[in-house]
Each structure stands twice: as C-alpha cells, then as structure tokens.
Amino acid sequence: MATIPTIRQIIRKQLISPIQEFIKDSRAVGITLLVCTIISLLLANSQWKDAYVHFMERETHILPFLHLPHSILHWINDGLMTVFFFLVGMEIKRELLIGELSSIKKASLPIAAAVGGMLVPAGIYVMLNGSTPYHSGWGIPMATDIAFSLGVASLLGSRVPVTLKIFLMALAIIDDLGAILVIAVFYGGDISWYYLLGAAVLLGILHLLNKLRGNKWWVTLLIGLLVWYCIFNSGIHATIAGVLVAFLVPLERLSNYEHALHDPVNFIILPLFALANTAIEIPGNFSEAITTSLSWGVLAGLVLGKPLGITLASWITVATGLGERPSGTNWMQLIGMGALAGIGFTMSIFITMLAFKDPATQNIAKLAILIGAVVSVIAGLLLLYFSGKPKKSQL
C-alpha cells in the first residue's frame, strides 16, 4: 500500500528541490540578474515608476549621529555590496595563493589579457569623452561581470573548453581587482584621515587575532562591520572594506566563507542591486540618448574595446613566449571569450553610480551598459559556437 506524502515532503519535492537544482545551475546567476533587470525596467517605465523610485530613495535616517547610509538604495550600494566585494576579495586571494594566478607562468596570459581589456576600453572612452562633461566615466567600460559572463559561456556547454572558462574566470578576477583599485583611488571623496587610521588599526587587530588564535567567524564579522563604518566615513568607498577584510581571511578558511556567501550574494544581494540600480526610464528621445558621446564611449569600450584589448594583449604575450594559449583552444574562441568580457553589468553599473551624480546621465550610461551587454552576449555566443567542435570535458 502506497504511503501518502506529507505536506513537508510535497513542499520539498514541488518547491524546494526545483529551487535547489536551479541554484546549482551555472547559468542561474545570469538568468536571475536578467529577470531582475527586466522587472526593474518594466517598473521604471510603468505607472508605478514614481512609487518605485521613491521607495528606493526615500530618506530614512537611522541614528543620525552615526552617519550611516540614509536610503534603501544607499544601504544596498554601500552596505550589501560590501559583502559582494568581500566575496570577490576572497576569490582574488585564493587565485593568487593557490589558483590560476599563483605563479608567473599561470598568471601571465590572464594578467596581460585583463590589462589589455581594461586599458583599451578606457582609452576608447577617453578618446570620445576626454574633453566632455562625461570624462569621469572612463572606468565604466573597464569592468567584466564574472557571474554573468561565465553563465553565458555555460549556455554552450561542451562547445566551450574547460581551459577557456578558467581563462575567463582568471581574467575577470584580475579585472575586478583593477576595478577595485580604480574605485578606491579615483572615485572616492575627501579623505578623513582619522577614520582611515581607525580602519587601519582595526585591520591590524584582525590580522593579529588571525595569527595568534584563529578567531571565530563572529569576531571577523564584528571587526569587519567596524572597518566598514570607518571606511564609509573616510571618503574611500565603503565597499573597499569588504576587500580589505577578505585579504586578511586565513587561507584555510576561504573555502568555508566562500561557500557560505556564494548563494546569498548571487541570489539575494546581486538581484537586489539589479532591482535598485537598473530602474532606467526609457526616454522619449531614445535615439538621441543612445547617440551621445557618453553612450558611444561606453558601447564602443565594452563591445569593441574589450575583445580587441584582450585578444591583442593575449597575442603579444603568446608571440613573445611569455605565456601560452589555453590548451585545446583557438584564436577565434579567445576572441569570443573577449566579447563575453564586454558584459560589464554589475561592476559597470556600480562605477556609473560613482562617476555621475546626475540621474539622467546615470540612465544614459546604464542604458548603454545594458545594450552593450546584449550585443556582447550575442557576439560572444556566435563566435564561440562557430569557432570549434564540441569538447568532451566540461567545467
């Protein structure tokens, strides 16, 4: 006689298990971000636009004397995104110590490709906007969205060699490090040295505790929050606190922290970031908005500059014998992966919010980023699809 399933079993089978399977899919992050972006765009161009924007930007001063973020948008961009940067920082540290960037031989090609993929897009942007009011946006086309680009690459399954995915991941991690340095150096405010000194002291204490006794996770959390508060009020962007604390996490704990934060960051924090920052009102004069020097600078930097810079730098590195092309790959596949690196999305939008204060200018840049992402996805998929036969191994 068949047993009747309980409500808990039904919920697990019909709801929880499908969600768990979706989260494990390498394409899930990209799909989730895409859905959140579409929802945000629809809301921003509907009758609920004002209510939606007002909800995100409504002033709510919590304990004013503490000088904390004062809106949901600021809490997401300055607070929650610090956790994202903490995860990125740990990924960078792991790759530098034991991963694809742990030796000169391993790191030479992705480092060169990443540098080329940052300098060429920035150079193209400056050529188009260096003498315009938009000159401060040169950092926007430098970025690559790791999760989104790898998610798109996974759509082709075995047609993309494992070595090529590893190359893209290493390149994107170095790219993120470059973006972090750009944010810290060029997109901060007036420096408050007292708060900066306080952050340095706290980081020193955390380092000593890690060396002496291997402190508990809650100690790292507590000191990390204090470091964030000091950085937030120092004039340097608050998210840099996440990277600084990440670099002090002992190697043996990196995997535990990364495992604990991977899903919350990718399926809660990044979707919230997309919902809050892609509420772009499509202007009536759409053609004029996307034909400004700002739009062309961002589009040309992401769509043309990224694959050009990555491919050129890679070719020079291989030709001079300083590095080797990923095994089992051809140059067309490398160009295709360079095209996918033009998906700036998260980091590009983040830099946009720092580079420009005017909402209208921000919207133009964000629109160009989204269009650039669509073009990069199509170009990358086509190049990768027709560049080689399916491989047996998969990531």
Side-chain angles (χ1 to χ4, degrees):
M1 179 175 161
T3 58
I4 300 175
T6 64
I7 295 178
R8 178 180 294 181
Q9 290 173 330
I10 294 173
I11 292 175
R12 172 169 289 278
K13 182 179 179 180
Q14 300 296 328
L15 181 63
I16 297 177
S17 294
I19 292 175
Q20 289 176 333
E21 290 178 11
F22 174 75
I23 288 175
K24 291 177 183 178
D25 194 318
S26 58
R27 300 164 293 183
V29 178
I31 293 171
T32 303
L33 290 178
L34 180 61
V35 169
C36 288
T37 300
I38 292 172
I39 292 172
S40 184
L41 285 170
L42 289 174
L43 287 172
N45 292 275
S46 71
Q47 58 183 324
W48 300 292
K49 178 196 74 171
D50 292 336
Y52 182 62
V53 173
H54 177 71
F55 172 75
M56 287 294 179
E57 298 182 351
R58 185 164 60 93
E59 299 279 335
T60 52
H61 293 278
I62 302 173
L63 302 175
F65 63 91
L66 288 179
H67 304 290
L68 294 169
H70 51 267
S71 70
I72 292 176
L73 180 64
H74 287 156
W75 274 111
I76 291 172
N77 291 348
D78 294 338
L80 291 181
M81 286 299 286
T82 303
V83 183
F84 164 74
F85 277 83
F86 179 62
L87 181 60
V88 168
M90 290 191 293
E91 290 174 345
I92 292 171
K93 180 172 181 175
R94 176 170 46 78
E95 292 299 320
L96 288 172
L97 293 179
I98 58 173
E100 291 301 310
L101 307 177
S102 59
S103 68
I104 294 177
K105 185 176 181 181
K106 285 183 176 181
S108 56
L109 185 65
I111 287 177
V115 171
M118 289 187 282
L119 293 181
V120 173
I124 290 174
Y125 183 94
V126 170
M127 284 190 338
L128 294 172
N129 291 281
S131 58
T132 73
Y134 309 126
H135 61 86
S136 61
W138 57 270
I140 298 171
M142 294 175 66
T144 296
D145 190 299
I146 298 179
F148 221 140
S149 56
L150 282 173
V152 172
S154 297
L155 293 174
L156 294 177
S158 59
R159 283 187 174 272
V160 181
V162 173
T163 52
L164 200 59
K165 294 178 183 177
I166 293 173
F167 168 75
L168 176 61
M169 183 173 67
L171 179 156
I173 284 173
I174 300 166
D175 196 303
D176 274 353
L177 179 58
I180 288 165
L181 292 174
V182 166
I183 291 169
V185 176
F186 297 101
Y187 291 113
D190 296 329
I191 302 298
S192 172
W193 294 104
Y194 291 108
Y195 277 111
L196 210 54
L197 178 61
V201 170
L202 288 165
L203 289 168
I205 293 172
L206 181 60
H207 177 65
L208 285 175
L209 289 174
N210 284 332
K211 289 289 185 181
L212 295 175
R213 52 180 294 184
N215 56 286
K216 303 294 184 180
W217 66 267
W218 61 266
V219 176
T220 300
L221 174 61
L222 178 60
I223 296 178
L225 288 173
L226 294 173
V227 170
W228 172 83
Y229 177 77
C230 289
I231 296 292
F232 176 74
N233 286 284
S234 72
I236 297 175
H237 200 271
T239 52
I240 300 302
V243 181
L244 296 175
V245 174
F247 284 171
L248 296 180
V249 174
L251 177 60
E252 62 271 16
R253 294 187 183 179
L254 285 178
S255 60
N256 292 336
Y257 284 177
E258 287 180 84
H259 179 73
L261 291 175
H262 182 270
D263 290 346
V265 166
N266 287 325
F267 296 102
I268 298 177
I269 292 175
L270 289 184
L272 283 174
F273 175 82
L275 286 170
N277 291 280
T278 58
I280 307 166
E281 183 178 4
I282 307 299
N285 54 344
F286 179 78
S287 59
E288 293 181 17
I290 62 170
T291 53
T292 64
S293 62
L294 170 58
S295 300
W296 284 119
V298 173
L299 276 170
L302 290 172
V303 176
L304 299 177
K306 273 292 183 181
L308 178 62
I310 288 170
T311 306
L312 183 60
S314 298
W315 181 83
I316 292 173
T317 305
V318 172
T320 55
L322 296 176
E324 298 179 349
R325 198 173 66 211
S327 61
T329 67
N330 56 50
W331 283 109
M332 187 63 73
Q333 289 174 320
L334 212 64
I335 296 172
M337 204 56 87
L340 289 187
I343 306 172
F345 201 75
T346 303
M347 201 67 82
S348 290
I349 292 174
F350 191 82
I351 294 176
T352 296
M353 304 298 289
L354 302 177
F356 305 118
K357 301 304 178 187
D358 175 42
T361 304
Q362 290 176 351
N363 281 347
I364 292 174
K366 290 177 186 177
L367 198 58
I369 292 167
L370 295 182
I371 294 173
V374 172
V375 176
S376 295
V377 167
I378 294 171
L381 287 177
L382 288 174
L383 286 166
L384 289 170
Y385 184 82
F386 291 107
S387 62
K389 295 179 181 179
K391 306 293 179 183
K392 291 183 179 180
S393 58
Q394 296 187 41
L395 188 61

